[in-house]
């Protein structure tokens, strides 16, 4: 039984089809990677799944509930939480306050603060608890995005390029953290350009191209397919 | 799916309940400042003459309005350029209920706060529903305030352009909030109202609703992706803001024994709600109060100059509107020199 079932999902903007009849099924506790060239529709797909935008057609079923067309707020409360490629901290607040906002969804104010600090420890950001979130470096902001999403206690998390902007030395600890979270039982769908990370983490891989799913399956097999090579590197390859 | 124990991401250790990093003394410190501030200010009538006390009372009314405005525009991030609407609803509710129905102003304060909150929520809902943000939101609130001004000027039950005169009672009356001219109670009562308004701000800022409103102000998209009902968070800020401002209006009518359309709903009133908050520091607890302490005496100074201008300004005698011109100038200077306001700038310097 899949945790997330996407059927014929389509999004059209003024004649341009950004996401075109996408079918994806994600089983519980699976780490699924999505790759594809820029403009393939990966971020739009995330927006449709997370309720940031309504789809033009198709269906999204999460945990046996049809959540198609639900608002972002409602989807998040149902246990499907996204992060953003461009970090969006609440800049007037400290790092701990940022995460507490998310923890509040399910607890009293006092418990939420304590819970949030626990989450910060989990993502190794606790030493910055009192720091103003606006002054965190990129690597810290990426972890803050992750911490806020985790504080919602999601069943499934949608990560939009959590490794982008990190220098190589910062990537390995982040990959390790994602692996641990997955090991704890979190279902993950992530969009990523850094292939080493994609191959290290993904149990299933979806390749998107021009808004469509080009192919999906076991990562090592998928990336060897000629059409994938072609989509990435051009026909002259 | 509501079974949170099944949620794997919860699999982390909770820190100890008395972990020092969890300590948050902010609210306690603000309450201490509030108590100390009220204690000091409450002695003022002992030193002030009648003239100075009337300036101080005017300052308190400014401060209540600005604290109210700041709840919505500072913490909620929805810049209102039409708070005259809510001050006016207060002033007119008080006047109408008292003059035409003999109802105590204390009751009017409650009625006006509820009515004003409801009107504010309706206006804000319309603006937000149609995605008016930033200056468009501000313009829409301005338009509503102007609309109320026109309506009041044309409705018989509200005495059209004549306004309301409050009857002066022969003796002191707590229930009708009337005392001897110059009685310190005329100062202590708005001081208590201001203290209550600041208390509401302090509690609100740290409450769930207040935290949500500030998150929505900082980043609406991120807030909604964390399960926050952004509309509800904003409307709560609006309701509190409009309610507090209306109470200032009720007291205005009571103190000056008169209110007309311009004093209640005029655009100058909207400016008077904004200026103290901007000068003192938007989105801070004490900014609006400190700003009012600048603007209140300043407005008196301007009025004095207009009544009896020095020779080279004699052409100004008997004119009005100079106060707004002075506020505007002050506002420009503050925005350039101290963009975070007096309190906000000093606080930031202190921290760094």
């Amino acid at each position: 039984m899949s945790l997330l079932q996407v059927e014929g999902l389509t999004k059209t903007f003024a004649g341009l089809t950004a996401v075109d009849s996408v079918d994806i099924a994600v089983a519980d506790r699976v780490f699924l990677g999505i790759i594809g060239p820029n403009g393939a529709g990966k971020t739009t797909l995330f927006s449709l799944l997370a309720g940031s935008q309504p789809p033009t057609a198709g269906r999204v079923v999460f945990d046996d509930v049809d959540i198609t067309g639900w608002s972002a707020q409602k989807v998040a409360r149902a246990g499907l939480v996204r992060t953003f490629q461009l970090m969006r901290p609440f800049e007037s607040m400290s790092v701990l306050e940022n995460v507490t906002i998310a923890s509040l969804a399910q607890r009293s104010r006092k418990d939420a603060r304590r819970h949030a600090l626990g989450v910060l420890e989990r993502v190794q950001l606790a030493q910055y608890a009192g720091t103003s979130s606006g002054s965190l470096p990129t690597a810290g902001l990426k972890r803050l995005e992750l911490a806020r999403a985790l504080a919602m206690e999601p069943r499934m998390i949608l990560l939009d390029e959590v490794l982008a902007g990190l220098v190589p030395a910062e990537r390995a600890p982040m990959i390790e953290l994602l692996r641990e979270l997955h090991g704890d039982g979190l279902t993950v769908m992530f969009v990523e350009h850094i292939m080493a990370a994609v191959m290290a983490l993904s149990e299933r891989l979806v390749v998107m191209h021009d808004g469509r799913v080009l192919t999906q399956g076991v990562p090592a097999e998928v990336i060897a397919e000629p059409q994938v090579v072609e989509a990435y590197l051009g026909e002259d390859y | 799916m509501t079974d949170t124990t099944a949620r794997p991401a919860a699999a982390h250790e909770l820190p100890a309940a008395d972990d020092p990093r969890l300590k948050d003394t902010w609210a306690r410190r603000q309450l201490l400042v509030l108590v100390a501030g009220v204690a000091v200010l409450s002695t003022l009538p002992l030193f002030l003459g009648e003239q100075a006390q009337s300036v101080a009372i005017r300052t308190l009314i400014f401060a209540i309005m600005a604290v109210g405005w700041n709840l919505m525009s500072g913490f909620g991030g929805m810049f209102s350029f039409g708070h005259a609407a809510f001050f006016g609803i207060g002033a007119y509710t008080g006047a109408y209920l008292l003059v035409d129905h003999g109802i105590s102003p204390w009751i009017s304060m409650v009625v006006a706060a509820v009515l004003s909150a409801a009107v504010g929520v309706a206006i804000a809902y319309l603006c937000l529903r149609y995605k008016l943000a930033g200056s468009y939101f501000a313009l829409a609130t301005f338009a509503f305030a102007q609309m109320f001004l026109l309506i009041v000027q044309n409705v018989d039950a509200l005495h059209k352009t004549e306004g309301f005169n409050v009857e002066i009672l022969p003796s002191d009356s707590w229930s009708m909030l009337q005392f001897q001219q110059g009685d310190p109670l005329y100062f202590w009562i708005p001081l208590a109202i201001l203290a209550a308004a600041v208390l509401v701000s302090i509690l609100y800022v740290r409450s769930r609703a207040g935290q949500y409103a500030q998150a929505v102000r900082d980043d609406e998209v991120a807030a909604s992706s964390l399960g926050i009902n952004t509309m509800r968070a904003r409307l709560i800020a609006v309701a509190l803001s409009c309610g507090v401002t209306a109470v200032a209006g009720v007291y205005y009518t009571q103190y000056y024994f008169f209110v007309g359309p311009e004093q209640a709903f005029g655009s100058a009133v909207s400016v008077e709600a904004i200026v103290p908050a901007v000068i003192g520091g938007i989105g801070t607890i004490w900014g609006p109060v400190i700003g009012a302490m600048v603007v209140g005496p300043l407005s008196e100074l301007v009025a004095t100059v207009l009544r009896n201008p020095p020779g080279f300004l004699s052409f100004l005698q008997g004119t009005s509107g100079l106060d707004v011109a002075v506020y505007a100038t002050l506002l420009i200077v503050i925005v350039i020199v101290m963009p975070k306001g007096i309190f906000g700038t000093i606080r930031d310097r202190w921290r760094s």
Side-chain angles (χ1 to χ4, degrees), chain B residues 72-85:
Chain B
M72 161 178 172
S73 305
F75 296 115
M78 294 161 282
F79 198 98
S80 165
F81 205 82
H83 253 45

Side-chain angles (χ1 to χ4, degrees), chain A residues 113-175:
Chain A
R113 203 168 157 83
R114 190 172 163 205
H115 176 258
L117 185 59
V119 175
L120 283 178
E121 276 173 352
R122 185 77 187 82
V123 303
Q124 292 126 39
L125 212 53
Q127 70 271 32
Y128 295 113
T131 309
S132 160
S133 64
S135 60
L136 277 186
T138 305
L141 285 172
K142 291 280 180 186
R143 279 171 190 260
L144 177 58
E145 278 279 337
L146 188 59
R148 279 198 317 204
L150 290 175
M152 294 289 294
E153 296 186 81
R155 289 283 307 273
M156 179 171 177
I157 194 166
L158 307 173
L159 302 174
D160 198 352
E161 299 201 27
V162 276
L163 295 163
L166 298 186
V167 299
E170 295 164 338
R171 287 179 197 158
M174 182 60 114
I175 291 171

Side-chain angles (χ1 to χ4, degrees), chain A residues 37-77:
Chain A
N38 288 325
K42 305 178 298 281
T43 295
T44 306
L45 174 65
F46 267 22
S47 293
L48 300 180
L49 296 180
S52 313
Q53 290 171 3
T56 312
R59 223 159 76 92
V60 183
V61 178
F62 179 69
D63 205 13
D64 293 334
V65 181
D66 188 333
I67 61 165
T68 316
W70 282 21
S71 66
Q73 157 221 339
K74 226 175 143 190
V75 173
R77 291 204 174 230

Side-chain angles (χ1 to χ4, degrees), chain A residues 63 72-73 76-77 84 88 90-93 101 104 106-107 109 113-114 119 121 126 152-153 184-185, chain B residues 1 4 7-8 10 12 14-15 21-23 206 208 211-212 215 217-219 221 224-228:
Chain A
D63 205 13
Q73 157 221 339
R77 291 204 174 230
F84 294 91
R88 290 171 165 269
F90 304 126
E91 290 198 349
S92 69
M93 302 182 188
I101 292 279
L104 275 170
Q106 311 205 21
R107 345 187 122 59
R109 279 187 302 134
R113 203 168 157 83
R114 190 172 163 205
V119 175
E121 276 173 352
M152 294 289 294
E153 296 186 81
D184 291 345
Chain B
M1 103 181 193
T4 55
R7 296 193 173 187
H12 65 261
L14 270 185
R21 289 167 296 179
L22 293 173
K23 223 177 193 174
R206 272 301 193 260
R208 177 186 298 262
Q211 290 285 299
Y212 281 177
R217 172 196 65 189
D218 284 3
D219 194 322
V221 174
S224 65
S225 80
L226 297 177
I228 295 175

